[in-house]
Amino acid sequence: MHITAGLRISRAFILGAGLGTRLRPLTGILPKPLIPFFHEPLILHSMRRCYDCGIREFIINTHHLAAAWDKVFPEHSWNGCPVHFSHEPVLLDSGGGVKKIEPLASAEEPLLVVNGDMAATFDPPPSRDVGPPHFRRQEERGI
């Protein structure tokens, strides 16, 4: 797969399939990214920051307690943005999750990969271009 540099990133793949074993017993009833954090699911904090940086489409992998995701995103959208789910009947780990969504990814557009169980702050770059400098120099890179 090649990425044509200079493109803005508008899609994010959020890792949400983990078992969340360190947060048991909370993760016995919800996947870790759906655990409330400041009165809303933890994943919404990451999605909001992504949205602030120009992300307008989300793909989330699921495994543990997958039905819980439909309760949070019943319309498979958030803030006017589509939310796609990639269910993993057998847990694939991070690299396997990315490989599984390859048909949903585009060779022409970079994809931001974000952990679904973090609360972080990051500022969008002034140019709204996200990524390393070689993306902004219009170079082509393969991954």
Side-chain angles (χ1 to χ4, degrees):
M1 174 188 316
H2 292 307
I3 295 173
T4 303
L7 297 176
R8 288 176 169 79
I9 298 176
S10 63
R11 302 173 79 198
F13 177 49
I14 301 179
L15 303 171
L19 298 174
T21 56
R22 291 180 297 219
L23 280 183
R24 285 186 185 148
L26 296 174
T27 53
I29 56 172
L30 285 173
K32 187 163 58 167
L34 297 183
I35 299 291
F37 181 74
F38 286 103
H39 309 290
E40 65 181 4
L42 180 58
I43 195 168
L44 294 183
H45 295 272
S46 294
M47 292 175 77
R48 190 171 300 108
R49 295 307 299 150
C50 288
Y51 185 88
D52 290 346
C53 291
I55 300 298
R56 295 298 182 266
E57 186 174 3
F58 299 91
I59 305 166
I60 303 170
N61 67 336
T62 66
H63 172 71
H64 175 63
L65 301 170
W69 292 95
D70 285 329
K71 292 177 183 172
V72 175
F73 302 101
E75 304 295 320
H76 289 214
S77 67
W78 173 80
N79 206 27
C81 302
V83 177
H84 310 281
F85 294 98
S86 174
H87 181 64
E88 298 175 9
V90 175
L91 194 57
L92 300 175
D93 295 322
S94 301
V98 173
K99 180 70 175 165
K100 186 174 186 291
I101 66 152
E102 192 172 25
L104 297 173
S106 166
E108 289 78 39
E109 183 179 354
L111 181 71
L112 179 66
V113 179
V114 179
N115 283 319
D117 60 357
M118 65 175 197
T121 59
F122 45 91
D123 294 322
S127 67
R128 308 273 307 165
D129 284 330
V130 180
H134 60 266
F135 282 161
R136 294 187 293 273
R137 288 195 309 262
Q138 302 291 329
E139 296 175 15
E140 189 173 286
R141 294 285 187 237
I143 54 172

